[in-house]
Amino acid sequence: MDPSQVKIPELKNLTIENITENVIKINSNNPSPRFKYILERLVTHLHDFARETRLSTSEWMAGIQFLTATGQICTDVRQEFILLSDILGLSLLIDSIDHPKPPSSTEGTVLGPFHTHDANDLPHGDNMSHDPAGEPLLVLCTVKDVSGAPIPGAKIDIWETDSSGKYDVQHADRAEPDGRCVMRSDTDGNFWFKAIVPVPYPIPNDGPVGQLLQRLQRHCWRPSHMHFMFEKPGYDHLITALYLRGDPYETSDAVFGVKESLIIDLGVVGKEEIEKYGVKEGTKLLKYDFVLVGEEESKKLREERSKEALEKLGRRVKIVEGLPVPDVD
Amino acid sequence: MDPSQVKIPELKNLTIENITENVIKINSNNPSPRFKYILERLVTHLHDFARETRLSTSEWMAGIQFLTATGQICTDVRQEFILLSDILGLSLLIDSIDHPKPPSSTEGTVLGPFHTHDANDLPHGDNMSHDPAGEPLLVLCTVKDVSGAPIPGAKIDIWETDSSGKYDVQHADRAEPDGRCVMRSDTDGNFWFKAIVPVPYPIPNDGPVGQLLQRLQRHCWRPSHMHFMFEKPGYDHLITALYLRGDPYETSDAVFGVKESLIIDLGVVGKEEIEKYGVKEGTKLLKYDFVLVGEEESKKLREERSKEALEKLGRRVKIVEGLPVPDVD
């Protein structure tokens, strides 16, 4: 790039006091108001963090090495940065911000690092977990809109661990997807399948995130749960999970995902279910009615809450498509 | 870990409003006051960043992917996270905070990602760059304390690019270190060597950091410079560099490193130098007198500036060994 073409402030003699405004200035040459705003807040917080902690060179280097190790342990089936975001509460926060829920709808929660895109499409009633050591579970669900009308043809991703607390991708010898499936709701908004009773499990703790938890004297356990993700044009994407009541980690989830409305009591199948779904007597039963929010309602809510939040923060921004950008008027 | 042994707040139903205080609480079980303070500020800034930007799930995922790619491109000889820190102004800020300089001493600047630990020890007068295309340069330096007394036996790391603007480690066929050396100052605080005239160069721009710069419409050039790093027990570690006056990127360094006091005018060797150092007529000459700060003075200054800065910020902390920790009294 020809330096004579570079329209930037003179950057020299930068100090603790003036470096932030200058970095923000040079980052503001890009054409996207949204990216400009994100970079402005990122640089401000990064620098304020260093100024408030008087971060030392050796602490900075420890941070560089931690982030490098976090990136390097990632593979196609392991996402340590999502895990880091999860244990710092960022993931839950982002979901809460981006997917506001009116009171009558199903709350969202953390996606976690174990969703994959290779799960098999299963017909209703099929078995999504082939772990013979798992405790059999029948799952009967509906998906409706906030008015109570069934939503047919929603794509539902479902995933859980095996009875040892491991997702399929955590087994080195994984030949094909298991403990996960994709279903579509029927015309009445129903979907049902066989699975196993979820168990508590430790998040992967043999990497940088595990070391951080150890240093923080935090445990690495998640309470028993099953993940659900709903997609259907016209509705806000729902990433959620159902948690078993009474789990020993119910109030100390390592990734902060548990919400009262997502805690369920397992029942036991009755005669009707045994006959209708071909399950054995004593099989545990999970029933839940999911409620999706319409895309328009969700958009409106996102916009309203953004406006409200940014006004409270006293920031001079305007809201465009639900997201703040600098107010240059 | 036995959950009944876990002394943590009840973590359930976390919201945009209450998640930060709860994550800080659960992170506060570790025994280090300093680590507690760093994590408190980190979580606060991370969450405030998300709240102020109303960061969307897709933007968060783009961030996760960016950080992952940044970690994955790192090797033994490439440190993309340092580069990221450099172009965001964090590296210069950290150096300014951690290595405060009294007016009479040599200012510090960014370390950059190209220092290695395998440079050869060279005797004074030796040639540290074997690039035949480089313009020969004679470097004559002294290192003294703030009172003007010479500092003998200081370990000095010196590194620069070749004439193509690449460090040795950027050549895939690098057989041994070149363009870098380690020297020790003599009894009079002198050190001198042969090198080549530094040239401007682009920082590595084929990775995530290069993509970010491009998206920000920022150039990736650094002005011509030579790195110096000084270590000697009893003195504050000095990481610095000397910049050539009039470089086209003098006021737009991609990593914000240029300071007026570190800009030098190259001369040309005179008769005396030609004879004494065995260089050819017309050889360019770099002369500089470095001044190191005593460890005690540096410590005192760091402590004073930390106190002053944190008081200004109005944070309830105490300063221990120059670094803030929570004030629990």
Side-chain angles (χ1 to χ4, degrees):
Chain A
M1 195 183 290
D2 175 358
S4 69
Q5 301 298 310
V6 179
K7 281 182 205 146
I8 46 175
E10 177 166 303
L11 297 167
K12 208 162 72 170
N13 298 322
L14 297 181
T15 64
I16 298 177
E17 287 73 33
N18 71 12
I19 190 164
T20 308
E21 57 185 297
N22 278 288
V23 176
I24 289 171
K25 261 187 218 156
I26 198 178
N27 282 345
S28 298
N29 279 332
N30 83 86
S32 159
R34 175 66 181 159
F35 200 50
K36 216 176 284 192
Y37 182 63
I38 288 181
L39 262 285
E40 183 219 299
R41 299 319 303 152
L42 178 73
V43 168
T44 301
H45 283 295
L46 194 64
H47 288 197
D48 281 348
F49 167 66
R51 275 188 287 255
E52 290 171 9
T53 57
R54 307 292 293 179
L55 202 69
S56 75
T57 306
S58 61
E59 289 167 340
W60 168 81
M61 186 51 92
I64 294 282
Q65 284 163 349
F66 177 81
L67 292 172
T68 305
T70 301
Q72 300 220 316
I73 209 170
C74 291
T75 65
D76 285 352
V77 292
R78 177 169 188 164
Q79 227 315 337
E80 194 85 354
F81 270 114
I82 291 186
L83 210 57
L84 179 60
S85 168
D86 290 353
I87 67 126
L88 293 178
L90 181 65
S91 307
L92 187 77
L93 178 60
I94 299 288
D95 182 73
S96 306
I97 289 171
D98 200 33
H99 297 287
K101 305 293 179 198
S104 54
S105 64
T106 302
E107 289 191 276
T109 188
V110 287
L111 170 68
F114 293 114
H115 176 252
T116 71
H117 293 277
D118 68 352
N120 292 321
D121 266 84
L122 293 189
H124 294 144
D126 219 337
N127 183 12
M128 59 87 90
S129 170
H130 299 87
D131 177 2
E135 187 183 355
L137 178 72
L138 177 66
V139 185
L140 305 178
C141 297
T142 65
V143 52
K144 296 183 175 165
D145 69 17
V146 287
S147 76
I151 301 178
K155 181 188 172 202
I156 309 139
D157 275 76
I158 306 149
W159 65 108
E160 64 166 340
T161 68
D162 62 19
S163 63
S164 78
K166 287 211 186 308
Y167 289 94
D168 55 354
V169 290
Q170 293 178 281
H171 291 287
D173 60 348
R174 177 193 199 241
E176 53 176 24
D178 195 31
R180 60 181 75 240
C181 71
V182 175
M183 304 218 132
R184 309 253 164 198
S185 52
D186 72 9
T187 46
D188 298 320
N190 295 314
F191 62 99
W192 63 97
F193 57 94
K194 289 164 194 153
I196 60 172
V197 175
V199 295
Y201 64 85
I203 59 173
N205 55 7
D206 58 341
V209 170
Q211 284 161 17
L212 177 60
L213 285 178
Q214 203 162 23
R215 193 159 163 205
L216 289 170
Q217 303 198 350
R218 283 174 53 178
H219 74 66
C220 56
W221 287 81
R222 296 215 63 202
S224 319
H225 63 278
M226 185 179 285
H227 291 274
F228 293 84
M229 184 159 80
F230 296 81
E231 278 173 281
K232 160 124 191 182
Y235 294 91
D236 190 46
H237 196 89
L238 172 64
I239 297 166
T240 193
L242 299 177
Y243 297 86
L244 302 195
R245 192 180 310 281
D247 186 282
Y249 303 101
E250 184 179 316
T251 59
S252 70
D253 183 359
V255 306
F256 313 106
V258 184
K259 295 179 182 182
E260 193 55 46
S261 70
L262 302 174
I263 299 179
I264 44 136
D265 294 284
L266 290 189
V268 179
V269 291
K271 245 187 191 161
E272 199 196 347
E273 283 115 6
I274 293 173
E275 281 166 22
K276 187 165 174 194
Y277 299 104
V279 291
K280 283 187 189 155
E281 209 182 310
T283 298
K284 291 277 166 64
L285 177 66
L286 188 168
K287 291 180 82 166
Y288 201 82
D289 299 311
F290 293 92
V291 179
L292 303 193
V293 187
E295 201 161 40
E296 280 309 310
E297 185 178 358
S298 178
K299 230 174 135 172
K300 209 179 132 218
L301 211 55
R302 193 180 297 121
E303 182 117 1
E304 278 172 13
R305 296 212 180 152
S306 281
K307 262 188 192 149
E308 200 184 341
L310 273 291
E311 265 166 31
K312 236 187 231 172
L313 290 169
R315 301 207 59 79
R316 212 172 141 259
V317 292
K318 55 185 178 186
I319 307 296
V320 176
E321 292 181 17
L323 300 174
V325 299
D327 186 0
V328 288
D329 303 334
Chain B
M1 193 183 294
D2 176 359
S4 68
Q5 302 297 310
V6 179
K7 280 182 205 147
I8 46 174
E10 177 165 304
L11 297 168
K12 208 161 75 171
N13 298 323
L14 296 182
T15 65
I16 298 177
E17 287 74 30
N18 70 12
I19 190 163
T20 308
E21 57 185 298
N22 279 286
V23 175
I24 288 172
K25 262 188 218 156
I26 198 178
N27 282 345
S28 298
N29 279 332
N30 84 85
S32 159
R34 176 66 181 159
F35 200 51
K36 218 176 280 190
Y37 182 63
I38 289 181
L39 263 285
E40 184 219 298
R41 299 319 303 154
L42 178 72
V43 168
T44 300
H45 283 296
L46 193 64
H47 289 195
D48 280 350
F49 167 68
R51 274 187 289 254
E52 289 171 10
T53 57
R54 308 291 294 179
L55 202 69
S56 75
T57 306
S58 62
E59 288 167 339
W60 167 82
M61 186 53 92
I64 294 282
Q65 283 163 349
F66 177 80
L67 292 172
T68 305
T70 301
Q72 301 219 315
I73 209 170
C74 290
T75 64
D76 285 351
V77 293
R78 177 168 187 164
Q79 228 314 338
E80 194 86 354
F81 270 114
I82 291 186
L83 209 59
L84 179 60
S85 168
D86 290 352
I87 66 125
L88 293 178
L90 181 64
S91 306
L92 187 78
L93 178 59
I94 299 288
D95 183 72
S96 307
I97 290 172
D98 200 32
H99 298 286
K101 305 292 180 198
S104 54
S105 64
T106 303
E107 289 191 278
T109 188
V110 288
L111 169 69
F114 293 115
H115 176 252
T116 70
H117 292 277
D118 68 352
N120 293 321
D121 267 83
L122 292 190
H124 294 144
D126 219 339
N127 183 12
M128 59 86 91
S129 170
H130 298 88
D131 177 4
E135 187 182 355
L137 177 71
L138 177 66
V139 185
L140 305 178
C141 298
T142 65
V143 53
K144 297 184 175 165
D145 68 18
V146 288
S147 76
I151 301 177
K155 181 188 172 203
I156 309 138
D157 276 76
I158 306 148
W159 64 109
E160 65 166 339
T161 68
D162 61 20
S163 63
S164 78
K166 287 211 188 306
Y167 289 94
D168 55 353
V169 292
Q170 293 178 281
H171 290 288
D173 59 350
R174 178 194 198 242
E176 52 178 25
D178 195 31
R180 61 180 76 239
C181 71
V182 175
M183 304 218 134
R184 309 252 163 197
S185 52
D186 72 9
T187 46
D188 297 320
N190 295 314
F191 62 99
W192 65 97
F193 56 95
K194 290 165 193 152
I196 60 171
V197 174
V199 295
Y201 64 85
I203 59 173
N205 56 6
D206 58 340
V209 169
Q211 284 161 18
L212 177 59
L213 285 178
Q214 203 162 24
R215 194 159 163 205
L216 288 170
Q217 303 198 352
R218 284 174 52 179
H219 74 67
C220 55
W221 287 82
R222 296 216 63 203
S224 320
H225 63 278
M226 187 180 286
H227 291 274
F228 294 83
M229 184 160 80
F230 296 81
E231 277 173 282
K232 160 121 193 185
Y235 294 90
D236 190 46
H237 196 89
L238 172 64
I239 297 165
T240 193
L242 299 178
Y243 297 86
L244 302 196
R245 192 179 312 281
D247 187 282
Y249 303 101
E250 184 180 316
T251 59
S252 71
D253 183 1
V255 306
F256 313 105
V258 184
K259 295 178 182 182
E260 193 55 45
S261 70
L262 302 174
I263 299 179
I264 45 137
D265 294 285
L266 290 188
V268 179
V269 291
K271 245 187 190 163
E272 199 196 347
E273 283 116 5
I274 293 173
E275 280 166 22
K276 187 166 174 192
Y277 300 103
V279 292
K280 283 186 191 156
E281 209 182 311
T283 299
K284 291 278 166 64
L285 177 66
L286 188 167
K287 291 181 82 167
Y288 201 80
D289 298 312
F290 294 93
V291 179
L292 304 193
V293 187
E295 202 161 39
E296 281 310 309
E297 185 179 357
S298 178
K299 232 175 135 173
K300 210 179 131 219
L301 211 56
R302 193 180 296 120
E303 184 118 1
E304 279 171 14
R305 297 212 179 150
S306 280
K307 264 189 190 145
E308 200 184 342
L310 273 291
E311 264 164 31
K312 235 186 230 172
L313 290 168
R315 301 207 60 79
R316 214 173 138 257
V317 292
K318 54 185 177 187
I319 307 297
V320 176
E321 293 182 16
L323 301 173
V325 299
D327 186 0
V328 288
D329 303 333

